[in-house]
Amino acid sequence: MALSLDREAYFRRVKRLYGNWQKGEEEYANVDAIVVSVGVDEEIVYAKSTALQTWLFGYELTDTIMVFCEDKILFMASKKKVEFLKQIANSKGSENANGVPAITLLVREKNESNKGNFEKMIEALKGSKNGKRIGVFSKDKFPGEFMRSWNDCLSKEGFEKVDISAVVAYTIAVKEDGELNLMRKAAAVTSEVFNKFFKERVMEIVDADEKVRHSKLAESVEKAIEEKKYLSGADPSTVEMCYPPIIQSGGNYNLKFSVVSDKNHMHFGAITCAMGIRYKSYCSNLVRTLMVDPPQEVQENYTFLLQLQEELLKELRHGVKLCEVYAAVMDVVKKQKPELLNKITKNLGFAMGIEFREGSLVINSKNQHRLKKGMVFSINVGFSDLTNKEGKKPEERTYALFIGDTVLVDEDGPATLLTSVKKKVKNVGIFLKNEDEEEEEEEKNEAEDLLGRSSRAAALLTERTRNELTAEEKRRAHQKELAMQLNEEAKRRLTEQKGEQQIQKARKSNISYKNAALMPKEPHIREMKIYIDKKYETVIMPVFGIATPFHIATIKNISMSVEGDYTYLRINFYCPGSALGRNEGNIFPNPEATFVKEITYRASNMKTPGEQTVPALNLQNAFRIIKEVQKRYKTREAEEKEKEGIVKQDSLIINLNRSNPKLKDLYIRPNIAQKRMQGSLEAHVNGFRFTSVRGDKVDILYNNIKHALFQPCDGEMIIVLHFHLKNAIMFGKKRHTDVQFYTEVGEITTDLGKHQHMHDRDDLYAEQMEREMRHKLKTAFKNFIEKVEALTKEELEFEVPFRDLGFNGAPYRSTCLLQPTSSALVNCTEWPPFVVTLDEVELIHFERVQFHLKNFDMVIVYKDYSRKVTMINAIPVASLDPIKEWLNSCDLKYTEGVQSLNWTKIMKTIVDDPEGFFEQGGWSFLEPEGEGSDAEVGESESEIEDETFNPSEDEYEEEEEDSDEDYSSEAEESDYSKESMGSEEESGKDWDELEEEARKADRESRYEEEEEQSRSLSRKRKGPAHSSSRRSSHSRSPGRSSGPPKKKRK
């Protein structure tokens, strides 16, 4: 696969290089041309020459010479590299189009015949400005015959060489947005490896009192970056260490990044760790000190170190000189702790990017360079050779403290931290002993050596549980803060929205004919027969001898029945009071008018002499044609309803280049036609186009995508690209906000006829093939995603669901695995898909959280209160804590309760009177412990709860109706295709059935009365009767309704 070169980035960066050169600042002023030559040396990791190549082209090009002259650029490289560079040198007019000089490509020969090319380059150097001084990177010296012959050639001509390392470094130090995204990712990976691997490993070592060498621990960190779980979604092939991790403890400290971890065992005191990870050639750096049982003095020094770093961050602003930053930090040390002045590190950091350490941009007392917005620095502050007065052993007496982060310089205000690893004492301190134990240990030093290990482990475990408890308390405290913010924001939002009144949509009035002249002059009408005018979608019926038109939209349903010699055609009309379907009740232009509810026509089935057909034939034809017209009308209405509110999209700009990112053999969901069809998905300039094998096209624009999700095939039968859209698009005559492209992985079927055996060769082969297939598909999808992200300059970013954080639940009818992404909660593998954007969520409420229940429900309330809440049912109780932890980390408020609430009623109450709701405490009524105003809300709310929602069948039916409404055209079609016997009234029982029921009831009541009388007689025989019993024989039983008494049969 040919490597692609980002042309725009190249021209943008070369223009910046030439712009700074032409300004003639510092060393640029003395230079007539610039020469950059790169050879082959595996040992050189960072060099200015290779950094410049990576910056311009995105790749390192070995054995390549670049010559930048005033009016031309020459590149000399091997044939393959020249092919690669043709992407930026393919047009002669490129210097005009892009404002940079034209490029000449020279092919390097493998034998000695490079002299001709060397002469061309030297001629170009002589012709550039004065042709005497050339700018070079004097520190970069590459071995090899090719480099030697080129350097000899330059020396012969007697050019004066000027080192331009510092000025070029200053040019490329300001990062573009794309570069910053890569550096952010590098910093995120570093933070993840430190938090999830290194810190946990040190805790384990201390816990088990293991003896581990610094060098071994450093090696394990290097191996950890090969494991995907520590890389926060990055591809392991794009990640490498900037330098071997440096771990120091036990009194031997050197706070530089050029040292190597020694082979001494890790000492449980101050443990400094420095690690940096490089992602796609861009570096990051992180330094932390973990402290085991730090004494008070050590803690105070560490807190002071944090204060210095805060000061340093404040000083790192656009336009400030590096020496001024250094001086400001030193002033703080002089004022507050002058005794530490000779202990502090010699410099406080350096610029970083493609190269790990930029030597010309170091924060020290002499550097006069000014900071610029977009520069990234590794800031490192430390104290070495500090004395621990409480230390008894030699390795305990000396300690060092060292912290460092990757930061981004902003316009004004403090620099932004890119490495988000907590560094307060409570986060980096490992506390093993309490005071009592310390006193005991002072008395028994020898016993500590023999017995200390087990007590230390136990103490660490208790400390861990204590930490866990505080984590729960922290979570609660954080939730309290969120609750206050939530109520304030919601109140402000609702009062702003109050002015926007909702306009109720009036039902479209359908007029058959605007004037009488348009009525058809058909013989049927004159003969007083029913006539259907298909053109105007009108049924003309005789009413009291007058032909009366009714538009098809006014007809609710029709039915036909044959009784004896007659055929009956019954037509029911819509009128106020009859159900029109969801959200359509009582919407009539003039509800006070008089309405026809139903009309019944009767015709004979007997043929009269002389007539060719039976009179009932007209009714039969009318019934058939009305059904057809009604069906056509309803289908058209449903289509119009689908198109309502569709936002017009821009046109897709087709990129005719054949190297567009493309995926073949994908299925689309929802289907375009009845049958599912394969097709290909191709990325163009401003969107995707899916083309099916039949030729159907579906366009999805990048700017209309809210979430782009990639669901890998790990543990799934399909691999999916899912797009959740901002505005719905139309295809297949329906509107869709969720579109996905997938392909199946492996066989879903199993051959039951074959005898199963675990060592069956065919089965093992099939499994191996499936594994390879999965790997191949995953790679293809990942390549496609990377190309699309590069094409859109990272504007469209694909999110991968975190399977580890997933939990089971039933958002629709069946249970599925719901997985969080960085900005949503999703399930893409089942259909219909489930996507909830976290930014749109107001709060989460857990219902039915009780000890004796295995499951609970989760209710998602949106910031838009008019939107229906989302319910996820049947979540296992085991998932409750992980879900809470995840929501807390996303700054989302959650509450829990034992009852199920009627959310439709609650949301209506809030929308109707937002001020009253928030005066009564707002959402605090959901909190389990009602405090103050919460109790009042609880009372008002309890009324709602009493009336409500035990997860009743009614609610489920209502939900089913809602979901069925989405497929309204088919549903309505099936409704009127059933030949119901007329209106709702008539669909009840006829008179004969009612009479029979009355007789039955009479018989039962007579039997009950006779039984009552026989009981009272038996009581009289036994003894004196109680007046109450006699009275009860005539009174009505309390269970019966107090209606009129039923008549008795005689």
Side-chain angles (χ1 to χ4, degrees), residues 1004-1016:
E1004 283 168 13
S1005 68
R1006 188 172 63 185
Y1007 171 73
E1008 280 170 16
E1009 283 189 13
E1010 281 170 4
E1011 199 173 48
E1012 199 70 276
Q1013 281 170 7
S1014 66
R1015 267 194 220 133
S1016 64

Side-chain angles (χ1 to χ4, degrees), residues 75-249:
F75 294 146
M76 180 179 174
S78 64
K79 195 174 180 182
K80 270 189 181 177
K81 294 185 186 101
V82 165
E83 283 298 317
F84 167 73
L85 292 168
K86 274 183 183 172
Q87 295 175 68
I88 49 169
N90 54 6
S91 56
K92 285 209 169 182
S94 62
E95 72 275 18
N96 304 330
N98 300 290
V100 293
I103 295 165
T104 307
L105 298 175
L106 306 171
V107 180
R108 177 174 74 85
E109 301 297 333
K110 286 185 180 175
N111 50 25
E112 296 290 312
S113 61
N114 282 317
K115 285 180 183 174
N117 288 336
F118 286 167
E119 282 166 11
K120 283 180 190 173
M121 289 194 286
I122 282 162
E123 197 180 309
L125 287 171
K126 286 178 177 173
S128 176
K129 292 190 181 179
N130 299 329
K132 291 175 183 174
R133 292 193 184 92
I134 57 170
V136 295
F137 301 132
S138 54
K139 280 188 182 176
D140 294 1
K141 291 184 168 62
F142 289 91
E145 190 58 43
F146 177 57
M147 285 292 114
R148 231 186 337 271
S149 55
W150 166 241
N151 288 329
D152 291 347
C153 208
L154 283 177
S155 304
K156 276 181 197 169
E157 297 299 327
F159 289 112
E160 187 185 331
K161 292 181 181 177
V162 178
D163 185 17
I164 55 164
S165 301
V167 283
V168 171
Y170 198 62
T171 302
I172 68 176
V174 178
K175 308 289 182 286
E176 297 174 353
D177 288 345
E179 293 178 283
L180 288 176
N181 286 338
L182 294 173
M183 295 198 78
R184 282 192 185 98
K185 186 71 175 174
V189 173
T190 307
S191 307
E192 197 86 343
V193 171
F194 181 87
N195 280 332
K196 288 191 178 174
F197 179 78
F198 180 77
K199 194 174 171 184
E200 287 298 315
R201 181 75 187 105
V202 170
M203 291 280 277
E204 282 170 19
I205 292 166
V206 175
D207 190 358
D209 201 10
E210 288 179 52
K211 285 195 171 184
V212 178
R213 296 181 192 278
H214 295 140
S215 52
K216 282 285 177 195
L217 189 53
E219 280 172 29
S220 67
V221 174
E222 289 193 68
K223 281 180 186 166
I225 67 163
E226 293 168 14
E227 290 186 49
K228 242 188 152 181
K229 61 181 173 184
Y230 301 123
L231 302 185
S232 64
D235 184 353
S237 63
T238 59
V239 174
E240 59 183 323
M241 299 301 297
C242 296
Y243 56 91
I246 304 164
I247 296 154
Q248 302 175 88
S249 68

Side-chain angles (χ1 to χ4, degrees), residues 763-781:
D763 282 1
L764 291 172
Y765 178 69
E767 281 176 24
Q768 179 62 26
M769 289 300 287
E770 189 176 317
R771 272 197 294 273
E772 285 174 18
M773 167 91 160
R774 280 173 184 269
H775 181 68
K776 207 192 252 176
L777 281 171
K778 227 192 294 189
T779 311
F781 272 71

Side-chain angles (χ1 to χ4, degrees), residues 914-940:
E915 286 159 9
F917 173 71
F918 288 108
E919 275 168 24
Q920 289 180 319
W923 289 108
S924 54
F925 79 88
L926 292 170
E927 298 286 356
E929 310 108 348
E931 296 170 13
S933 63
D934 301 16
E936 295 167 23
V937 183
E939 283 175 51
S940 64

